[in-house]
Amino acid sequence: MPIPDYGAAPLAKTFMLVRGLSLLAMICIVGLTANFTSEIISTNVDPPKEVIGTLTVTSLATLYTLLTIPLFLAQANLSLLIMTLLDTLLLLAFTTVSILLGQPISFLNCSLIANTSASTTATSASAFAQSLASNLGKSGSTLGLQDWAGRTKVNCYEVKGVWGLCVALCVLFACSGVLLPVLWLKARRAGVTGGKGAA
């Protein structure tokens, strides 16, 4: 099925590229945060609110993105304005998620986690184990995101990866939020009409 041009073929193709990259980034985020959440829950501790918030927002955004691709391909012109509004809201949501994730982990240096001395590692592991032991089995007990991310190098890189993908999604939703009204305007000027949703 060819991509409708909406009176501006390069912009329409750019939008589809942005949507594809957004979908790829969101699938990666869902996978990483679901794995991270599973690991945390296996210790009978509630996952940090930042991780749950990221997983929730990303899952809803993935569903929305999957639903908007057929609308775009069906050339429903009025839906471009609705998608503009929803993309702007998702931009705000991912900006908030990026800030919430970035605050506790922005100063973590993942490369130094395994390179510390044995005594520092033992002290850190002991403090983490005591904190974990005091929270185990208690309903509603939580540990901070920085505690989990700083535990191992893999956790650190996973959380930093999720943070980076959230920042990338901010850029991608900003791009689509600019492209959609331009496409709507170009389609209107070119006299392109769609189906039931045409303006």
Side-chain angles (χ1 to χ4, degrees):
M1 170 187 254
I3 298 173
D5 66 1
Y6 288 94
L11 294 179
K13 290 177 182 173
T14 302
F15 173 78
M16 287 303 293
L17 175 66
V18 166
R19 269 298 190 257
L21 291 173
S22 299
L23 198 55
L24 184 64
M26 287 185 280
I27 289 170
C28 290
I29 290 173
V30 168
L32 288 170
T33 53
N35 179 44
F36 200 58
T37 302
S38 172
E39 180 185 324
I40 294 170
I41 289 176
S42 69
T43 61
N44 295 325
V45 176
D46 292 342
K49 64 185 181 305
E50 297 94 349
V51 174
I52 296 299
T54 302
L55 185 57
T56 304
V57 168
T58 307
S59 297
L60 292 172
T62 304
L63 176 64
Y64 161 76
T65 302
L66 286 171
L67 292 174
T68 57
I69 291 172
L71 281 174
F72 184 79
L73 293 175
Q75 207 163 354
N77 294 341
L78 187 59
S79 66
L80 295 179
L81 294 179
I82 296 168
M83 285 192 288
T84 300
L85 175 66
L86 293 175
D87 278 24
T88 304
L89 291 176
L90 283 175
L91 168 63
L92 294 174
F94 277 108
T95 301
T96 304
V97 166
S98 298
I99 291 169
L100 290 176
L101 276 177
Q103 282 177 342
I105 63 163
S106 61
F107 296 108
L108 281 178
N109 189 346
C110 298
S111 61
L112 295 180
I113 289 176
N115 297 333
T116 57
S117 67
S119 62
T120 306
T121 302
T123 304
S124 174
S126 173
F128 179 78
Q130 288 174 353
S131 178
L132 183 60
S134 67
N135 284 292
L136 278 176
K138 294 180 184 173
S139 178
S141 59
T142 59
L143 287 174
L145 180 61
Q146 65 275 12
D147 294 327
W148 287 105
R151 185 172 68 141
T152 66
K153 190 179 262 194
V154 172
N155 285 358
C156 184
Y157 282 125
E158 269 186 13
V159 175
K160 289 239 180 180
V162 169
W163 181 37
L165 288 169
C166 286
V167 172
L169 281 171
C170 291
V171 173
L172 291 170
F173 278 113
C175 286
S176 63
V178 169
L179 286 171
L180 285 166
V182 172
L183 283 171
W184 177 79
L185 187 61
K186 292 274 189 184
R188 231 175 119 100
R189 286 185 181 166
V192 176
T193 57
K196 293 178 183 176

